[in-house]
Amino acid sequence: MLRIAIPNKGRLSEAATDLLRRAGLRAQPRSDRALVASLGRDFQAVFVRAGDIPEFLADGAAELGITGADILAESEQALDQVLDLGFGRCRLVVAVREDSGIERPADVPPDSRVATSFPATARRFFDGLGIGVQTASISGAVEIMPHLGVADVIVDLTSTGSTLRVNGLKDIGTIMESTARLVARPEAMEDEASRRQVEGLVLALESVLRAQEKRYLMANVPRDRLEEVKRIIPGLSGPTIVDVLDGNGWVAAHAVVDADDVYETIADLKDVGAEGILVTPIERLTP
């Protein structure tokens, strides 16, 4: 049984447990405060702080984990990033006061004080620019530090930039973009049995992630308009065409379509005479 370290709270927690549930791995804790939970026959969930997950894996307390790419970069642990899970999207940015006169990270003066929850990442970034800075490790309320005179610059996570603007700061550069990642101890990928378990998990998670952006579309269409229908709904490898009992010149066309294209696809199908159009979500999709 492989142990998966999962964030116990915060921006990644709910999305991680929901993704696992949709992949068929529903966490079954013994109580609301339990730190471990069964995830079926092959896996066990261990609930810890997202920031502690790289250390958990490095110490062998878990074989797999779900945490942010920003946290992985800061930890500097040698872990295998197995799958980009896509959620928890944000950017780690450099920000300064709007009246600072600084427009890009390369303009930050040497010896500036940088407040951040990511001191190692910030140092690497400014070292790469050839700028020596002083880092002040801050947890929480980083945005207020330039106004208190504690720091000249901050390095912090942002999704929309609205919190920075509300606090009179401007984003002058992105250090990295971050999403949630499934990561593994290298030892887990070297062992054949555990590697097969990880590969099975990745296949299940990928099928859920792939299905999120797709819809299953069914429509009754005139048989003599099939060539036009095929152009409208090519599907993964062409639409599936099924004879309709006593259809009198009608067939049923089934296809997987992009969720963003559903509106136009339905309009195009109506133009060629389609009827009885049905669109449903897809739980999992494996090519």
Side-chain angles (χ1 to χ4, degrees):
M1 182 174 289
L2 297 185
R3 295 161 295 182
I4 307 176
I6 300 172
N8 61 353
K9 59 182 179 180
R11 60 190 176 92
L12 302 180
S13 178
E14 184 175 342
T17 54
D18 181 61
L19 176 60
L20 289 167
R21 177 189 59 77
R22 287 184 287 140
L25 299 173
R26 183 186 295 273
Q28 298 179 353
R30 294 182 178 179
S31 69
D32 291 341
R33 295 189 176 184
L35 300 180
V36 297
S38 170
L39 285 173
R41 180 185 61 189
D42 295 330
F43 301 98
Q44 181 183 57
V46 182
F47 296 101
V48 296
R49 289 180 61 253
D52 293 337
I53 287 175
E55 189 65 36
F56 248 66
L57 269 64
D59 291 345
E63 289 74 39
L64 298 166
I66 295 176
T67 193
D70 53 298
I71 293 171
L72 295 171
E74 180 64 19
S75 74
E76 300 181 310
Q77 296 288 355
L79 301 173
D80 292 340
Q81 295 195 31
V82 180
L83 182 63
D84 185 343
L85 302 176
F87 60 82
R89 189 173 301 277
C90 57
R91 294 181 301 126
L92 187 64
V93 304
V94 181
V96 295
R97 287 177 53 152
E98 291 180 343
D99 59 1
S100 67
I102 300 173
E103 299 299 331
R104 56 189 185 130
D107 297 332
V108 171
D111 294 324
S112 292
R113 191 166 176 83
V114 179
T116 181
S117 301
F118 300 88
T121 306
R123 280 195 298 271
R124 286 197 306 271
F125 177 74
F126 283 106
D127 285 347
L129 295 176
I131 302 172
V133 298
Q134 304 174 47
T135 57
S137 184
I138 304 292
S139 58
V142 176
E143 300 89 351
I144 197 65
M145 297 304 160
H147 298 289
L148 297 178
V150 174
D152 310 295
V153 180
I154 70 167
V155 168
D156 200 15
L157 292 174
T158 183
S159 297
T160 64
S162 59
T163 302
L164 295 176
R165 292 190 292 273
V166 166
N167 286 279
L169 303 177
K170 61 181 179 180
D171 166 7
I172 61 169
T174 299
I175 294 178
M176 68 176 294
E177 294 188 359
S178 177
T179 52
R181 307 295 169 90
L182 175 68
V183 293
R185 281 173 53 81
E187 293 83 354
M189 301 305 292
E190 292 166 2
D191 177 77
E192 183 178 353
S194 62
R195 186 179 68 251
R196 284 200 301 268
Q197 285 179 260
V198 175
E199 290 170 350
L201 174 62
V202 169
L203 182 65
L205 295 177
E206 284 181 328
S207 72
V208 173
L209 296 173
R210 194 179 293 114
Q212 288 178 160
E213 305 303 323
K214 301 291 184 180
R215 297 293 183 268
Y216 193 73
L217 184 146
M218 296 165 279
N220 291 332
V221 300
R223 186 183 294 275
D224 60 6
R225 307 295 293 272
L226 274 181
E227 290 304 315
E228 294 166 272
V229 170
K230 290 177 183 178
R231 287 194 294 271
I232 296 169
I233 49 172
L236 296 178
S237 56
T240 299
I241 306 300
V242 182
D243 286 329
V244 177
L245 186 64
D246 298 326
N248 297 320
W250 289 78
V251 295
H254 296 212
V256 174
V257 300
D258 290 337
D260 292 341
D261 296 338
V262 166
Y263 178 86
E264 292 181 358
T265 299
I266 290 176
D268 291 341
L269 286 172
K270 293 296 290 184
D271 286 342
V272 299
E275 297 180 356
I277 300 172
L278 176 65
V279 179
T280 65
I282 304 173
E283 290 189 7
R284 294 171 64 165
L285 179 60
T286 303

